[in-house]
Amino acid sequence: MQKLSIHGGTPLKGEVRVAGAKNAALPILTASLLTKEAIRLWNVPELNDVRTMVTLLQRMGVTATMSPGAVELQAATVEPFAPYELVKTMRASILALGPLVARFGDARVSLPGGCAIGERPVDLHIKGLEAMGATVAIEAGYIHATAKKLKGARIYMDTVTVTGTENLMMAACLAEGETVLENSAREPEVVDLAHCLLAMGAKISGHGTDVIRIQGVPHLHGATHAIMSDRIEAGTFLCAAAATRGSVTLTNAPVTSLDPVIDKLREAGAKVTAEGTTLSLEMARRPYAVGIRTSPHPGFPTDMQAQFLAMNTVADGTSVVTETIFENRFMHVQELRRLGARIDIEGNTAIVRGNDHLTGTTVMATDLRASACLVIAGLMAEGETIIERIYHLDRGYERLEVRLGALGANIKRIA
């Protein structure tokens, strides 16, 4: 099993290009199931989760051609079945459910897996499809949904759900009549999916707000679409630079999607400037402690909580970090303590008292963003830090050790 070895203490300096967004690519890949014509995607990140999703689509009969940064998909003939052995590794596989029911009237998708950061139930996906006329049953660990033809409906989601919004939005594209999704997710990745669906001939309005309207059409056609840049990857690089008191420039950055992250970095003492799709950060001092409270977009993203918590471990002062989205998203705290961090947990809140330094040791990654948190901690720590179970990291960060190395980090992958 591969590990990362990091010798910390070197400020990050240089330029790095932000890759395509994992959380935008995955639903857009499943959107290929909505048409028999070819879908061509650009700026596709080279990640394990992307490869898993393409493999799942191929298992269902989709023809896929991959090249660096690009994927072409054609779902001319499809078996609407998503098996457990693939779905168990990646929660986003549930996104095949809506497109399959909408186009083929039948779908069997395994109950999903993924990072163990919380329950993340699929009941809102199921209730939404039932409101559109589908019959849904849970059979031997599979969701089995059938419908002669989905019908437009008004669907209120009592909890904001990104994948639920995406699943129902895709299903509604081929339903008869109008579907209104209320209390829908406003995340930029939802908007990017809507842009792709519009290019395929869908009729969607309100994306980016909490009420999305979809007028169903008889069929969708092929399209070409460039995946948006990854705001979480961009935020991770910025946070790592600030934590190491470095100076970095990000190109191909999703600047307009990063406002909550940039605001907190400036509060921590960083100088952040933006010009077009280029972001620059300089940090000349020890970071100030910053309080964080996660919330759905446009609030502070839960996927950046762990990275800022790592920075706060060496910050000047005491910070309070509150997680409101996932109930198990402080598993990285016990590993940070092994590096010397002073963190107390009270319910869904972490109280972090900044140290003037961390000390390298062996730690274990527990999920995707916890992996990034430990990398940042290792970049700050004195001596060597070994991070185990980095397969989590490879799910969401493209060749992270290579790109950090280009910024001056002393980091390498070891067996």
Side-chain angles (χ1 to χ4, degrees):
M1 189 174 294
Q2 294 184 325
K3 309 174 184 181
L4 284 182
S5 168
I6 306 173
H7 289 266
T10 303
L12 298 184
K13 294 184 179 180
E15 181 177 296
V16 63
R17 186 181 189 276
V18 181
K22 174 183 84 84
N23 290 338
L26 298 179
I28 289 172
L29 288 168
T30 62
S32 66
L33 294 167
L34 290 166
T35 178
K36 64 181 180 181
E37 298 182 18
I39 301 296
R40 297 174 180 87
L41 303 175
W42 305 98
N43 200 39
V44 179
E46 297 179 35
L47 304 170
N48 284 352
D49 271 12
V50 168
R51 287 184 280 270
T52 299
M53 183 64 83
V54 171
T55 300
L56 174 63
L57 293 171
Q58 289 175 314
R59 180 71 67 88
M60 289 189 278
V62 177
T63 300
T65 303
M66 299 186 71
S67 56
V71 179
E72 180 174 329
L73 303 159
Q74 188 159 9
T77 304
V78 172
E79 179 187 1
F81 173 65
Y84 172 70
E85 61 264 25
L86 289 174
V87 175
K88 69 180 180 180
T89 65
M90 185 181 63
R91 179 176 176 77
S93 305
I94 190 69
L95 289 164
L97 182 66
L100 289 174
V101 179
R103 182 175 165 202
F104 301 102
D106 185 83
R108 287 185 68 229
V109 177
S110 173
L111 289 167
C115 286
I117 58 175
E119 285 298 313
R120 301 192 287 181
V122 297
D123 59 316
L124 295 180
H125 303 241
I126 293 171
K127 289 177 182 177
L129 290 173
E130 288 176 334
M132 298 169 72
T135 299
V136 185
I138 307 295
E139 302 169 349
Y142 282 81
I143 304 170
H144 187 198
T146 58
K148 288 186 177 180
K149 184 68 177 179
L150 293 179
K151 309 288 185 181
R154 175 183 172 272
I155 301 170
Y156 176 79
M157 291 170 280
D158 55 13
T159 301
V160 177
T161 163
V162 174
T163 54
T165 299
E166 292 166 340
N167 227 340
L168 298 177
M169 183 166 65
M170 287 190 283
C173 288
L174 296 180
E176 288 183 357
E178 183 181 62
T179 299
V180 180
L181 303 179
E182 299 185 351
N183 197 31
S184 59
R186 301 162 61 184
E187 269 69 7
E189 295 79 11
V190 174
V191 175
D192 201 37
L193 171 61
H195 288 162
C196 180
L197 293 170
L198 288 166
M200 295 168 65
K203 296 181 179 179
I204 304 172
S205 62
H207 42 291
T209 76
D210 61 357
V211 179
I212 301 176
R213 296 180 181 273
I214 307 101
Q215 189 69 41
V217 297
H219 60 85
L220 296 178
H221 53 70
T224 299
H225 178 76
I227 304 295
M228 68 171 286
S229 300
D230 196 322
R231 64 192 172 107
I232 305 304
E233 181 183 276
T236 300
F237 277 118
L238 293 173
C239 199
T244 60
R245 308 184 200 183
S247 173
V248 299
T249 296
L250 307 186
T251 60
N252 193 41
V255 175
T256 57
S257 301
L258 284 166
D259 286 345
V261 172
I262 292 172
D263 286 347
K264 286 297 178 181
L265 287 167
R266 286 173 174 158
E267 187 179 328
K271 178 183 177 183
V272 185
T273 56
E275 183 176 344
T277 59
T278 299
L279 266 176
S280 297
L281 177 144
E282 294 181 21
M283 188 65 145
R285 54 155 291 132
R286 180 184 179 190
Y288 295 113
V290 291
I292 299 293
R293 183 180 181 86
T294 65
S295 62
H297 192 80
F300 189 90
T302 179
D303 280 353
M304 283 301 304
Q305 174 257 106
Q307 297 90 314
F308 269 79
L309 197 150
M311 184 178 71
N312 277 334
T313 62
V314 297
D316 183 2
T318 297
S319 59
V320 176
V321 177
T322 302
E323 174 58 57
T324 71
I325 308 297
F326 295 121
E327 67 272 18
N328 292 338
R329 206 157 204 184
F330 282 136
M331 291 188 290
H332 44 280
V333 166
Q334 121 178 0
E335 301 303 307
L336 290 172
R337 287 172 177 156
R338 288 178 51 78
L339 294 161
R342 299 185 296 172
I343 308 170
D344 295 315
I345 300 293
E346 296 180 3
N348 66 336
T349 298
I351 301 166
V352 188
R353 291 174 292 155
N355 264 337
D356 58 2
H357 72 282
L358 300 178
T359 303
T361 188
T362 300
V363 292
M364 179 182 70
T366 54
D367 62 71
L368 171 55
R369 304 307 172 186
S371 304
C373 158
L374 295 176
V375 169
I376 292 172
L379 292 172
M380 298 185 295
E382 297 176 356
E384 184 183 28
T385 299
I386 299 291
I387 303 176
E388 299 180 341
R389 293 174 59 176
I390 60 169
Y391 56 84
H392 289 294
L393 193 73
D394 294 334
R395 290 185 50 230
Y397 292 95
E398 184 178 305
R399 299 178 299 109
L400 184 61
E401 76 280 5
V402 175
R403 296 156 78 203
L404 285 173
L407 297 176
N410 188 346
I411 178 173
K412 63 181 177 180
R413 188 175 292 244
I414 59 176

